[in-house]
Amino acid sequence: MIGPFEVLVFAFVVFVVLGPRRISRMTRSTIRGTRDFLDELGRAKREEIGEEEKERRP
């Protein structure tokens, strides 16, 4: 089992190896990529709903 102490040691090692600047860039790009992905999913869903409504109208 991995305990909280091991997680802290791992986080500290990652921080020292990568550095704060690179970690912040990676975090920012991950958040941006996730946001873009969710926006695309939402856009596809809105288009799908719009097409269904057009089919229902006479």
Side-chain angles (χ1 to χ4, degrees), residues 3-58:
F5 181 71
E6 287 86 1
V7 172
L8 287 174
V9 169
F10 178 75
F12 178 74
V13 169
V14 168
F15 185 75
V16 168
V17 170
L18 295 178
R21 190 173 295 150
R22 189 177 298 167
I23 290 174
S24 67
R25 273 189 278 154
M26 287 185 340
T27 305
R28 209 174 301 125
S29 66
T30 301
I31 291 171
R32 189 177 303 132
T34 303
R35 188 180 307 133
D36 291 344
F37 176 73
L38 292 175
D39 286 345
E40 286 296 320
L41 282 180
R43 187 174 302 137
K45 188 67 171 174
R46 285 191 301 268
E47 290 173 358
E48 182 179 310
I49 291 172
E51 290 173 2
E52 289 176 0
E53 288 180 5
K54 288 179 184 177
E55 291 174 357
R56 291 183 188 167
R57 294 180 189 166

